[in-house]
Amino acid sequence: MKEQLLELAGGQVYLVSPNRPARSWVLGIHGSGREALSYRDVAFYIRQRDLALQNGCAFAAISMGQDVWARDEGFARIVALYNWMLTHGYRARCVPMATSAGGCQMFRFAQEYPHRVAALVGIFTVWDVEKIHLSSLEKAWGLSGQPLMDALQQNNPARRVCRLPNVPIVLCHGVNDQAVPIEEHSLALARLKSVQLHMTDEGHSTQAFGMYDTPLIGRVLRSYVRQEE
């Protein structure tokens, strides 16, 4: 594989290409407290990068810091990365793969730019950001209580479910997740849209490698590559 590091829109980009040239690509959207280089240095995130490579896709991610928490600044970096990839010969449709807090940005990207996504993959992702009660969310916004809820409404994907495109959606989530409860997030979305759901008995942890013990992710990536050829 070939690795590249670059700076874009105030964030660091980590771009990895498989040995065989590929125009299909996965857009990695990290969780709170992580960065683009987590996909190089953290075993849990490396698994996502390697799934992309093994199934014929390049992989790209941009660091957002705490702006991953549904903030416009983080979203603008994702858009900037998408535009960079497009101008460098990658396909117009990508597969966003988000982890935890990155889910709210992934679903927003799909809602605002439905023709830019071929499928969505979520690893214990946030769907309804107003149902999260974590200090990292409060820190990101500098708000708490009702002022925070009011601020989150505009960028909460759960309030715009009708804008979510009809593309394959794979969600991997643990039933013992206390930080992002499956009932309020993956299962809540599954009641509204057709999703492929892989459930484990794990919690919200970068040791929850059972998230990847499913053929669903590889299957959706291979289908995307075939369709885009």
Side-chain angles (χ1 to χ4, degrees):
M1 66 182 184
K2 178 183 177 182
E3 296 178 306
Q4 292 177 258
L5 295 177
L6 57 126
E7 295 292 324
L8 182 68
Q12 186 175 46
V13 171
Y14 177 56
L15 172 61
V16 188
S17 302
N19 293 326
R20 178 183 177 185
R23 293 181 60 234
S24 299
W25 62 289
V26 170
L27 170 60
I29 306 179
H30 63 75
S32 176
R34 301 296 175 176
E35 59 183 2
L37 287 182
S38 295
Y39 295 99
R40 185 194 68 181
D41 301 333
V42 179
F44 188 79
Y45 280 84
I46 288 171
R47 289 287 294 274
Q48 296 179 35
R49 178 201 71 185
D50 289 350
L51 277 167
L53 298 174
Q54 291 161 7
N55 289 286
C57 299
F59 184 92
I62 189 166
S63 295
M64 288 174 282
Q66 293 300 330
D67 287 337
V68 69
W69 276 118
R71 291 180 58 82
D72 290 339
E73 294 86 347
F75 187 73
R77 288 188 181 180
I78 293 173
V79 174
L81 175 56
Y82 173 87
N83 290 334
W84 188 94
M85 296 292 284
L86 195 64
T87 60
H88 284 77
Y90 290 90
R91 297 192 186 280
R93 296 200 309 162
C94 65
V95 176
M97 183 182 297
T99 306
S100 190
C104 51
Q105 296 286 23
M106 176 181 76
F107 293 122
R108 179 183 176 187
F109 184 80
Q111 289 168 330
E112 296 200 16
Y113 301 106
H115 299 298
R116 295 182 177 183
V117 301
L120 303 173
V121 179
I123 310 298
F124 45 62
T125 39
V126 172
W127 160 247
D128 188 344
V129 73
E130 292 173 69
K131 297 287 181 66
I132 293 293
H133 306 284
L134 296 174
S135 60
S136 55
L137 175 59
E138 295 181 349
K139 182 178 180 180
W141 283 84
L143 299 169
S144 61
Q146 193 57 47
L148 175 60
M149 293 299 105
D150 293 341
L152 292 173
Q153 289 181 13
Q154 182 177 356
N155 296 338
N156 187 356
R159 287 182 173 263
R160 301 178 308 205
V161 63
C162 62
R163 294 177 59 181
L164 204 59
N166 292 319
V167 298
I169 301 174
V170 173
L171 301 178
C172 305
H173 215 131
V175 298
N176 291 309
D177 192 329
Q178 300 301 311
V180 183
I182 188 172
E183 182 64 32
E184 296 176 340
H185 296 276
S186 291
L187 290 179
L189 176 56
R191 288 191 287 269
L192 302 170
K193 295 285 291 186
S194 175
V195 306
Q196 301 173 68
L197 187 60
H198 169 59
M199 295 189 296
T200 76
D201 61 359
E202 296 164 301
H204 200 87
S205 168
T206 52
Q207 298 303 310
F209 289 100
M211 295 291 140
Y212 308 116
D213 291 340
T214 172
L216 294 175
I217 300 174
R219 190 178 298 158
V220 80
L221 291 178
R222 289 190 298 274
S223 176
Y224 156 60
V225 170
R226 288 195 299 268
Q227 291 170 5
E228 298 293 312
E229 288 178 343

